[in-house]
Amino acid sequence: MTTGTAAPHAVRLLAGYHALGRPAELRDHLAQYGPPPTTTGASLVQAVEEAGLTGRGGGGFPTGRKLRSVAAGRRPAVVVVNAAEGEPASAKDRALLTVAPHLVLDGAALAAGAVGAREIVVCVHAEPDPGEGAEAGARRGRTRTLADTVRRAVAERERARPAPVPMRVTAVLPRYVASEETSLVRWIDTGDARPSFAPRPFERGVGGRPTLVSNAETFAHIALIARYGPAWFRSCGSEEAPGTALFTVSGAVARPGVVEAPLGTPVGEVLRLAGGPSEPLQAVLAGGYGGTWLPPELLALPTTPSAFKAAGLALGPGILVALPERACGVAESARVLAWLAAETAGQCGPCVHGLPAIAADFAELASCRVSTELYRRLDRRLAVIPGRGACRHPDGAVRFAASALRVFGRHLRVHTRAEGCLLARWPSILPIPEEW
C-alpha cells in the first residue's frame, strides 16, 4: 500500500517520511525533529490531557487519563506498544512503523518516563521468516519483516545513546484476537495470546504490574505533543476530536493506501485523499471487521466518534473499505463472518457457539436460502450475544452483521428470487488472511 497525505497543515505523522522510500533511520528522524523533547514526566501527562489525545487503536479512550492511571500504580510499570493489527483491512501501524519507527519509539520512551516504567515491549504480528526458502519468499513478496524493521530501529537508538528504559520487540501470533490488550499481556507473560477476564492492564498487566497498552499511532502522537504542545495538537481536527488520524483506505478507490487527515474530515473527503472512488459505490465499511457498513448517502458524515455513534456506526481504528456496486454486500459479509467465527479464542460461549451460528445464517442468506424463520433466528442471536464475551470480539462481529442487514436490506430481496444473486459470483473485495 502507498501512503498519502492531506493538506500540508494536516500532515503530521507522515510529514517528510513518505518521500524517503525506505524506513527512516535515526539520522533522518533527528534531522526532522531534532533531539528528544524536554516535556517529560508529570508535565507530559498534563500536556497529553490538555491536548485531548484519544487512543487511535479503535477504543478512543482518553490517553492522558490512561497515562495518569498507570503512573498512580504502586509498582514499576510496563509500556506496551500495540502494533499487532488484528484487522485484516488495516495497515496504518505497519505503515507508520515502516516509514517512521523512531517517532513511535520516541513516544513509547516518553510515556515510559511519565509512568515510571522499567520496560517497553513493542508487539507486532509474526510473519514468515524471509529465510524460509526462495519459493516462499517470492510467493509472499517480503524481504524483511516488520519485526526486523523495528528491531533495527531499536538497535540504532541503543548504539547512539543507551535508553534508560530497555525496549524489546516480540512477534505475536497473527490471529484476530491476539491484538486485544489482555491478549498481549497474556502473550508477554505466558506465550498464550488469548483474551482474559483479568483486570484491565492499567491496573494489573504484565507480570502483575500496571501496564500502559496503546497502539503505535497513539505513541507517535505523544511524541509530537511533547515537542510542540497541546495547543499545536488542537489546532487541527475538531474540538471534540482534536488532531489528525491515519486511515487505511482500500477497495474501489484509485490509490488504496494509508492517508492522514484531521479528525472530523468527512468520510467522502478521506476517500478522495486516496484518489476517490474508482467506480460507483454501494457502501463503505468503516472500522474494519468489528465495524459497520455505511451507505453512500452518509459519505458527508464527519469522522468523529460522536457523529458515528449518533448514526449508529463505529469509527474504529481508521479503516474505510469502498465496496463497489458490482459486489454483493451480503456475500462479502458472509465471508467475513465465517472468518471471524474461525478466529475466536475458543474460550467462551458467545464465540464458540454464537458466532459460528451467525456465520451459518449469513451463509444461507448469501446462497439465497432466505426464509422468515432465518430472519427471526438471526434477530434472536444478534440480540443475546453482545456483552457476554471475555473480550469485545463477539460484540464487533454482531455489530458488523447487524449493519449488513440494515445497509443491504434492499439487496437481500434479490436473494429471494429463483435465479439468485448474480453479483455474488464476482471476485471478492474484502481481504481474508491466508493461513501460513
Side-chain angles (χ1 to χ4, degrees):
M1 283 189 167
T2 59
T3 57
T5 54
H9 73 278
V11 179
R12 294 178 169 185
L13 301 175
L14 300 178
Y17 286 129
H18 62 285
L20 281 175
R22 57 173 173 77
E25 297 177 358
L26 184 58
R27 58 186 173 86
D28 304 311
H29 176 72
L30 294 176
Q32 174 107 359
Y33 294 110
T38 56
T39 304
T40 58
S43 61
L44 176 65
V45 176
Q46 183 176 347
V48 172
E49 287 180 327
E50 292 176 358
L53 173 65
T54 55
R56 298 299 198 249
F61 193 82
T63 304
R65 192 186 308 169
K66 195 184 269 190
L67 285 166
R68 193 169 293 281
S69 296
V70 174
R74 296 183 179 181
R75 299 181 61 190
V78 178
V79 167
V80 174
V81 179
N82 184 358
E85 291 174 292
E87 288 283 355
S90 180
K92 66 174 187 173
D93 285 339
R94 166 179 286 277
L96 185 58
L97 276 171
T98 297
V99 300
H102 290 287
L103 195 61
V104 177
L105 298 181
D106 262 5
L110 288 162
V115 302
R118 293 185 182 177
E119 182 182 19
I120 298 170
V121 185
V122 183
C123 297
V124 299
H125 267 166
E127 301 172 68
D129 186 344
E132 62 185 342
E135 181 180 345
R139 182 171 67 250
R140 302 188 186 280
R142 295 187 179 119
T143 56
R144 179 188 293 168
T145 67
L146 182 60
D148 292 334
T149 297
V150 181
R151 288 188 181 112
R152 181 176 178 178
V154 170
E156 273 191 300
R157 298 169 76 89
E158 283 297 308
R159 287 194 299 270
R161 178 184 297 176
V165 180
M167 295 183 182
R168 64 183 174 96
V169 181
T170 182
V172 185
L173 292 174
R175 299 297 304 274
Y176 187 75
V177 298
S179 59
E180 197 270 341
E181 62 178 12
T182 63
S183 294
L184 293 182
V185 168
R186 181 183 273 186
W187 168 263
I188 294 167
D189 278 343
T190 70
D192 179 9
R194 291 185 297 164
S196 72
F197 290 94
R200 307 318 298 175
F202 70 85
E203 297 172 337
R204 190 168 74 245
V206 176
R209 292 171 288 170
T211 300
L212 174 69
V213 184
S214 290
N215 86 310
E217 182 187 346
T218 306
F219 283 108
H221 283 297
I222 290 174
L224 295 181
I225 291 169
R227 283 178 164 87
Y228 304 125
W232 170 87
F233 185 78
R234 283 189 170 276
S235 68
C236 194
S238 68
E239 178 65 26
E240 168 216 343
T244 65
L246 297 180
F247 295 87
T248 308
V249 186
S250 61
V253 291
R255 297 189 303 274
V258 177
V259 302
E260 183 174 7
L263 283 172
T265 302
V267 172
E269 180 59 31
V270 177
L271 296 184
R272 282 190 283 276
L273 292 174
S278 55
E279 54 186 296
L281 299 185
Q282 177 181 177
V284 174
L285 177 61
Y289 296 174
T292 44
W293 290 103
L294 59 91
E297 55 265 30
L298 290 183
L299 290 182
L301 189 69
T303 52
T304 62
S306 65
F308 267 65
K309 184 177 181 181
L313 304 171
L315 182 59
I319 297 169
L320 296 173
V321 185
L323 187 73
E325 286 183 350
R326 60 178 169 81
C328 174
V330 179
E332 294 283 346
S333 299
R335 289 176 57 252
V336 169
L337 286 165
W339 181 78
L340 290 173
E343 282 293 300
T344 73
Q347 61 182 3
C348 59
C351 279
V352 173
H353 304 295
L355 296 194
I358 291 173
D361 288 342
F362 260 79
E364 289 191 38
L365 290 176
S367 60
C368 301
R369 299 195 301 273
V370 180
S371 67
T372 302
E373 175 53 31
L374 173 59
Y375 282 124
R376 288 174 179 167
R377 193 166 65 232
L378 256 176
D379 284 343
R380 288 196 303 269
R381 287 168 173 163
L382 295 178
V384 301
I385 289 177
R388 296 173 179 266
C391 67
R392 291 187 293 271
H393 175 52
D395 297 13
V398 165
R399 182 166 52 238
F400 174 86
S403 74
L405 293 177
R406 289 195 305 271
V407 173
F408 303 123
R410 185 184 307 171
H411 177 72
L412 274 167
R413 298 172 192 167
V414 177
H415 286 244
T416 64
R417 299 173 185 169
E419 65 271 21
C421 178
L422 299 180
L423 296 180
R425 302 175 188 178
W426 281 86
S428 58
I429 303 296
L430 299 178
I432 299 294
E434 298 179 5
E435 293 289 335
W436 63 271

